[in-house]
Amino acid sequence: MINYLCHVCDKTFPVDAIRYKCECGSPLNLTQSEMCFPIEEIASRDNNLWRYREALPIASEASIVSLNEGMTPLVSTSSSVCDHRLKLDFVFPTGSYKDRGASILLSKAREAGIREVVEDSSGNAGAAIAAYSAKAGIDCTIYCPSTTSSEKLTQISMYGAKLKLIEGSRAHTTQAVLQATGTTFYASHNWNPFFLEGTKTLAFEIAEQLGWKAPDGVICPVGFGSIYLGLYIGFKQLHDQRVITKIPRLLGVQSVACCPIYQAYRDNQPQIEKMALEYNTLAEGIISELPIRSQMIMEAMNSTDGAFTVVSEEDIEDGIKILARQGIYVEPTSAVVVKAFDHFVQTEVIRYDDLIVSVLTGSGLKATDKLTKMLSM
């Protein structure tokens, strides 16, 4: 039986409809359940994330909420340095990797008999939770910053979710949604550990697409860390099951505008300190003044010999254009990985002959207004 587990005080709790954090205020993980990876069987299954059924924490097949998400393309990109692949993890029903977590989280909500959820988001997670709530027949309310891209707000509304726009910073949006969590299930992509059970399937897919081998490193955008932590959980489980022989270095990217994790890494600090947003950034999806799972992020970075870097607004714009000229259209948050790769090469974090995977997390169709303005400048 799976329970909630606090990584700070080691308390366990049953999985219920209301609890989203420990009594000590810390985020919750899931107790480890037995799992297996029947590789020969997996190869014959449908190309979606539910091919890893034995490793996913949903007991009832009837509870699964799916739009056939997953198994996104892994393509080569030109590099004179190493074997560099791009994981097109925006090729999802709602246009972002957040569908991975939403599918598992809403499946759990359905399994628990939950009829209403709330979530706070800068856009992509809100769209994913709204879409999968619609598929599950669950009422949904999404709280978003008032500055969220209009394309994302329209998408959320079209799924039938109630939309509440909050003035102020991303942190103000979280504060607003917490007022509703006392009576309503908080389908949070940051707090709820079932969301990470979805994002970990990204690691499974990368390993499978490489012939059940781990790359030397994976680069991804990091705000609150749902993809970074999902990669850590997934690769660690594969390693524990002896499916792969090593865990790749996890390489995170933040915007200069708000980079508390990078600052902790740069200054060799034992913990991440809060950093206020200095200015509005194109990479709105990775704004996080203080990640909720800070301790776990540090553990993932340290145990994988990981690293962090930052990119400027000019770097982000360059990244968008470089990818577009390869036929790949992404939103600004995704494009941070392009110049981050160069930074990691320059600092010798990435070495010659490495196999590196960069994760592209959201479609450019999510940010048409911003990208149109960028073209006109």
Side-chain angles (χ1 to χ4, degrees), residues 36-327:
C36 65
F37 290 86
I39 292 175
E40 291 185 3
E41 291 183 33
I42 287 172
S44 66
R45 294 174 179 172
D46 290 342
N47 283 331
N48 60 52
L49 63 81
W50 291 96
R51 66 199 277 111
Y52 311 115
R53 181 74 182 85
E54 292 84 353
L56 301 176
I58 305 300
S60 168
E61 294 283 338
S63 297
I64 292 175
V65 181
S66 177
L67 292 168
N68 208 34
E69 57 289 317
M71 199 47 73
T72 56
L74 182 67
V75 302
S76 295
T77 187
S78 176
S79 172
S80 60
V81 177
C82 66
D83 184 352
H84 187 196
R85 317 278 181 97
L86 303 176
K87 180 67 166 163
L88 308 188
D89 226 42
F90 58 89
V91 185
F92 275 99
T94 76
S96 91
Y97 83 94
K98 296 285 178 62
D99 289 7
R100 293 186 185 276
S103 180
I104 306 298
L105 180 49
L106 268 298
S107 294
K108 188 60 188 179
R110 176 191 269 180
E111 189 170 65
I114 290 162
R115 304 305 307 160
E116 181 181 3
V117 301
V118 293
E119 156 74 321
D120 59 307
S121 166
S122 60
N124 283 341
I129 296 297
Y132 284 80
S133 292
K135 176 72 173 177
I138 293 174
D139 289 339
C140 177
T141 301
I142 305 293
Y143 290 66
C144 287
S146 59
T147 55
T148 299
S149 298
S150 60
E151 295 87 354
K152 295 176 182 178
L153 297 178
T154 298
Q155 184 181 14
I156 290 168
S157 297
M158 287 296 292
Y159 291 130
K162 301 182 186 74
L163 187 61
K164 297 201 174 186
L165 299 183
I166 307 300
E167 297 294 331
S169 68
R170 177 67 178 83
H172 286 115
T173 303
T174 299
Q175 292 168 8
V177 78
L178 291 179
Q179 297 176 16
T181 59
T183 57
T184 308
F185 182 79
Y186 187 19
S188 172
H189 63 291
N190 296 319
W191 282 98
N192 197 298
F194 283 97
F195 195 91
L196 297 179
E197 291 295 301
T199 59
K200 77 179 184 184
T201 61
L202 172 57
F204 298 166
E205 286 183 21
I206 292 171
E208 184 178 0
Q209 289 170 321
L210 295 175
W212 291 109
K213 295 180 180 178
D216 296 296
V218 182
I219 305 174
C220 67
V222 183
F224 281 92
S226 62
I227 197 162
Y228 193 82
L229 294 175
L231 287 166
Y232 177 58
I233 293 168
F235 281 121
K236 188 175 185 302
Q237 289 180 351
L238 290 174
H239 187 259
D240 289 345
Q241 295 293 317
R242 299 183 179 178
V243 176
I244 57 176
T245 59
K246 65 180 180 182
I247 299 177
R249 301 186 73 181
L250 297 183
L251 309 176
V253 192
Q254 298 205 286
S255 165
V256 171
C258 189
C259 53
I261 307 172
Y262 168 74
Q263 286 193 342
Y265 166 75
R266 181 196 62 192
D267 299 337
N268 198 28
Q269 297 173 349
Q271 61 185 27
I272 299 167
E273 302 293 339
K274 184 175 181 179
M275 175 186 176
L277 177 67
E278 294 189 357
Y279 55 84
N280 289 330
T281 173
L282 285 167
E284 65 182 10
I286 50 173
I287 297 172
S288 173
E289 296 181 345
L290 181 62
I292 291 163
R293 297 180 180 271
S294 293
Q295 183 176 326
M296 190 175 175
I297 290 172
M298 295 296 286
E299 176 189 334
M301 181 181 68
N302 292 330
S303 66
T304 67
D305 192 25
F308 272 79
T309 191
V310 287
V311 291
S312 66
E313 298 303 292
E314 182 180 0
D315 287 337
I316 297 170
E317 291 188 15
D318 287 346
I320 294 167
K321 294 172 184 176
I322 288 168
L323 288 171
R325 288 166 190 154
Q326 298 179 51

